[in-house]
Amino acid sequence: MIKVIKVKDYEEASDKAFEVMKPFLVPGKVLGLATGSTPLGLYARMVKDHEENGTSYKDICSFNLDEYAGLPIEHPESYYSFMHRNLFDKIDIREENAHVPSGLGEDLEGQAKKYDAMIDACPVDIQLLGIGSDGHIAFNEPGTPFDSGTHVTDLAESTIKDNCRFFDNDISKVPTQAVTQGIGTIMKAKNILLIATGANKAQAVKDMIEGPVDVACPASILQKHENVTVIVDEAAASLLK
Ligand code: PGA
């Protein structure tokens, strides 16, 4: 069941997302976190809440969705760096509790299996998601099996183009592979919160909510999850009936 919340713009979407997230910011909870432009407003609100209200992350654990393959973690665009810069370094989460999949090493598939085992041992209470303009969730591009676990994947051409803005607008600098939680991994989360803003997400949002459940739109599988909240701004909702 997808519960759709329509808001005006990005700022309102971030306010609403924080409202949904807030009850989970208590000891013992496991958060599923995401990167990209979409969650930045939510992370800023989480940091403010930590600073002003003393909300503590000492007993909260997190699992990120994905990481580029082959990019050193100290690279500013690695998702490890992104998470530290925008959230982890500004709250009191413990380094050992803040998990980001590793895109480095000899045996990425073996590491991916271990990542899934860690998530199985600490099930995610709320998974935050963005959506790609091609309907991807995490780096599960169109065609990814719905039962996939964490795995290594090639990025779709459209994703490489979308992300080139983070790599000096130079397509040749964008990694072409990533390690990503699978759709099966994501679907195990007890609650899912997806935020979509901007006109370039409108078709993907329509396909996710009103289209058939089909691997052509990976996010459409969320129709089968019990507890999904989708926050959309006017531009992203513009094609919805
Ligand atoms: P974005 O990416 O938040 O940067 O738009 C979302 C995604 O690709 O999942």
Side-chain angles (χ1 to χ4, degrees), residues 207-237:
D207 293 344
M208 161 175 67
I209 295 171
E210 295 174 356
V213 176
D214 191 287
V215 292
C217 176
S220 64
I221 190 64
L222 300 178
Q223 294 176 27
K224 301 275 187 202
H225 192 284
E226 299 269 298
N227 264 310
V228 181
T229 303
V230 170
I231 299 174
V232 274
D233 74 349
E234 282 171 4

Side-chain angles (χ1 to χ4, degrees), residues 4-241:
V4 180
I5 300 176
K6 291 186 189 172
V7 296
K8 191 163 158 290
D9 54 16
Y10 182 79
E11 289 307 310
E12 266 190 33
S14 303
D15 286 340
K16 200 67 197 169
F18 179 69
E19 228 177 276
V20 174
M21 194 61 127
K22 179 74 182 149
F24 294 91
L25 305 181
V26 293
K29 291 293 184 198
V30 181
L31 311 180
L33 299 177
T35 52
S37 309
T38 305
L40 286 174
L42 168 61
Y43 292 162
R45 283 154 182 77
M46 288 163 69
V47 169
K48 188 163 179 274
D49 169 62
H50 166 71
E51 289 170 354
E52 292 180 359
N53 305 320
T55 299
S56 175
Y57 292 75
K58 282 212 166 88
D59 296 309
I60 286 178
C61 171
S62 71
F63 289 94
N64 262 80
L65 287 170
D66 44 18
E67 178 60 284
Y68 290 116
L71 202 62
I73 60 170
E74 56 281 0
H75 189 288
E77 294 309 330
S78 77
Y79 287 166
Y80 176 92
S81 293
F82 176 100
M83 287 309 299
H84 279 266
R85 183 166 67 242
N86 294 301
L87 185 67
F88 297 155
D89 292 351
K90 298 178 172 176
I91 57 175
D92 60 349
I93 196 163
R94 297 174 207 264
E95 168 77 17
E96 65 271 26
N97 289 345
H99 307 280
V100 179
S102 169
L104 297 171
E106 293 294 301
D107 181 18
L108 290 185
E109 288 292 355
Q111 289 169 205
K113 287 200 172 57
K114 285 189 190 146
Y115 198 71
D116 272 339
M118 280 199 290
I119 293 175
D120 283 340
C122 295
V124 169
D125 289 293
I126 185 162
Q127 176 65 57
L128 176 64
L129 295 175
I131 183 169
S133 59
D134 64 355
H136 73 208
I137 45 175
F139 277 128
N140 294 287
E141 301 288 14
T144 308
F146 285 147
D147 62 356
S148 51
T150 301
H151 62 284
V152 182
T153 186
D154 293 330
L155 304 192
E157 206 52 50
S158 60
T159 301
I160 293 175
K161 278 195 199 121
D162 286 347
N163 288 6
C164 134
R165 66 192 196 278
F166 299 116
F167 293 87
D168 308 325
N169 281 315
D170 180 349
I171 271 201
S172 71
K173 290 188 181 163
V174 186
T176 56
Q177 285 200 314
V179 176
T180 182
Q181 281 190 31
I183 296 176
T185 318
I186 293 169
M187 287 293 281
K188 287 182 191 170
K190 294 175 201 164
N191 297 275
I192 291 180
L193 168 60
L194 185 146
I195 311 168
T197 59
N200 73 322
K201 303 293 175 68
Q203 186 63 49
V205 165
K206 183 181 172 56
D207 293 344
M208 161 175 67
I209 295 171
E210 295 174 356
V213 176
D214 191 287
V215 292
C217 176
S220 64
I221 190 64
L222 300 178
Q223 294 176 27
K224 301 275 187 202
H225 192 284
E226 299 269 298
N227 264 310
V228 181
T229 303
V230 170
I231 299 174
V232 274
D233 74 349
E234 282 171 4
S238 60
L239 297 177
L240 290 177
K241 285 208 188 93

